[in-house]
Amino acid sequence: MKKIVVLDGYTVSPGDLSWEPLLALGDVKIYDRTSQTDETQVIERIGDAEMVYTKKVPITKNIIDACPNMKFINMLATGYNIIDAAYAKEKGVLVANIPAYGSEAVSQYAIALLLEACDHIGHHSATVHEGKWENCIDWCYWDYPLIELAGKTAGVIGLGKIGRHTAATLGALGMKVLAYDPYPTEEGRAVADYVEFDTLLSHSDVIMLHTPLTPFSKGLINKENIAKMKDGVILINNSRGAIVVEQDLADALNDGKISCAAVDVVSSEPIMHDNPLLKAKNCIITPHISWASLECRERLIEMAVENAKAYIEGRHLNIVNL
């Protein structure tokens, strides 16, 4: 019987979903939370387990060396940069991820962030509940300019599956859609016009980030590239926090170069109290929940179980370090 450890299962299922299909595969221990910084605790909890699941707990060289019985690591996510996958390969440890479990939901959330930036629905609802409407001398009011998207230009940076869903929706809203991606596809051409990166920056009224974190994209939204953008551009990021140099974005928000930003990710999570975006003007921040719909989390557990079954049967499914 395989020994299986889930290091941080709470955010995947805070009690509303069942781990029973995984429990049926072996001797399974599920921890709600494990420290992301205390390697000693991680090593103790893995122990002699052969199969390990992690959502946000890094699996480093030290941990791999300290847990020689570990032969299979599964990210409960698509990105796997918190695992030293190259060293795991050297040690004969397979690393799997869970691709494309939430593409539609993440795209939907990106559009929701954009609509909130344009219409400020949450703000206006709050003011009504606070009594502003009942005490208003006019029959309506708005505290922010309301922005119509039809006829404007959107730039999507990263046109993978999520980016394509977003681009198609932006087109349905009546926007002209530009895209930058180093790997153009016919599917991408069906929903957007591929352009050079600087062209996208200078022509877009709205910029949507849907690129993975790579050496190219890390710090991509910085002072230099913000200067190339249209005055008053709207920026949406529910991809990776480190794509944005947060102080540069805060400065651009405060001086009006960027009219509004809406982000679901930041460089260090949970957000730190000194993150400059917390005090920046016109910045909407949500707590990294684009992926967290019930349907997404159901698929996450289903695919985690399928990855485990494949490993137990000697098959490779979603292995990223072969």
Side-chain angles (χ1 to χ4, degrees):
M1 180 175 285
K2 301 293 186 183
K3 189 168 184 179
I4 304 170
V5 171
V6 179
L7 292 172
D8 50 348
Y10 182 83
T11 54
V12 175
S13 176
D16 56 350
L17 295 173
S18 173
W19 289 99
E20 190 60 37
L22 185 65
L23 297 175
L25 298 181
D27 176 9
V28 182
K29 176 67 176 178
I30 300 174
Y31 294 96
D32 281 348
R33 301 172 182 86
T34 297
S35 174
Q36 296 179 30
T37 57
D38 183 354
E39 289 190 345
T40 299
Q41 184 186 73
V42 178
I43 291 165
E44 288 175 351
R45 290 188 170 183
I46 293 174
D48 61 352
E50 182 177 346
M51 302 168 66
V52 175
Y53 285 85
T54 178
K55 181 68 173 170
K56 288 294 183 181
V57 178
I59 305 296
T60 64
K61 178 179 183 293
N62 290 339
I63 293 170
I64 293 169
D65 284 339
C67 302
N69 203 47
M70 180 172 60
K71 298 300 179 185
F72 176 80
I73 306 168
N74 199 149
M75 275 297 304
L76 292 167
T78 302
Y80 54 92
N81 55 295
I82 64 169
I83 298 174
D84 192 333
Y87 187 69
K89 181 178 181 178
E90 288 181 26
K91 304 297 286 188
V93 180
L94 295 173
V95 176
N97 73 340
I98 302 179
Y101 69 92
S103 300
E104 292 86 352
V106 174
S107 172
Q108 173 184 310
Y109 200 92
I111 296 297
L113 289 172
L114 175 59
L115 295 178
E116 182 65 19
C118 291
D119 294 322
H120 298 276
I121 292 168
H123 164 82
H124 287 105
S125 175
T127 64
V128 170
H129 285 282
E130 291 163 1
K132 183 171 181 177
W133 197 11
E134 64 188 88
N135 294 309
C136 184
I137 61 173
D138 298 307
W139 63 273
C140 72
Y141 64 90
W142 53 93
D143 291 344
Y144 293 91
L146 305 181
I147 299 169
E148 181 176 309
L149 292 170
K152 292 184 171 59
T153 298
V156 181
I157 299 176
L159 210 59
K161 189 172 183 181
I162 297 171
R164 292 196 300 272
H165 277 290
T166 299
T169 306
L170 294 168
L173 290 171
M175 302 191 77
K176 176 179 175 59
V177 185
L178 307 178
Y180 173 79
D181 192 296
Y183 306 102
T185 65
E186 290 307 310
E187 295 92 338
R189 290 188 179 93
V191 293
D193 296 325
Y194 286 102
V195 296
E196 295 298 320
F197 180 64
D198 283 0
T199 301
L200 183 148
L201 294 181
S202 63
H203 285 70
S204 297
D205 300 294
V206 172
I207 294 177
M208 316 282 286
L209 302 181
H210 284 310
T211 180
L213 186 62
T214 65
F216 168 77
S217 67
K218 186 175 182 179
L220 184 65
I221 304 304
N222 55 35
K223 184 177 181 179
E224 178 183 357
N225 285 329
I226 290 171
K228 300 173 185 176
M229 297 177 187
K230 276 188 175 183
D231 291 346
V233 66
I234 296 171
L235 180 73
I236 308 297
N237 183 23
N238 63 333
S239 182
R240 292 290 183 266
I243 295 170
V244 174
V245 178
E246 288 164 336
Q247 186 61 62
D248 291 354
L249 174 56
D251 291 343
L253 286 164
N254 290 333
D255 67 21
K257 173 67 176 180
I258 294 178
S259 66
C260 184
V263 305
D264 185 49
V265 288
V266 292
S267 59
S268 180
E269 297 173 348
I271 196 167
M272 305 291 286
H273 75 279
D274 58 351
N275 188 304
L277 297 181
L278 287 171
K279 295 183 178 179
K281 295 178 182 177
N282 300 324
C283 189
I284 298 163
I285 307 173
T286 58
H288 201 152
I289 54 174
S290 298
W291 67 280
S293 71
L294 179 67
E295 295 85 353
C296 280
R297 292 183 291 110
E298 285 176 333
R299 284 192 293 272
L300 194 66
I301 291 177
E302 289 170 3
M303 295 173 75
V305 170
E306 291 305 309
N307 284 352
K309 288 179 178 177
Y311 169 76
I312 292 168
E313 294 168 3
R315 297 183 290 113
H316 291 157
L317 181 62
N318 299 319
I319 303 299
V320 299
N321 70 331
L322 288 176

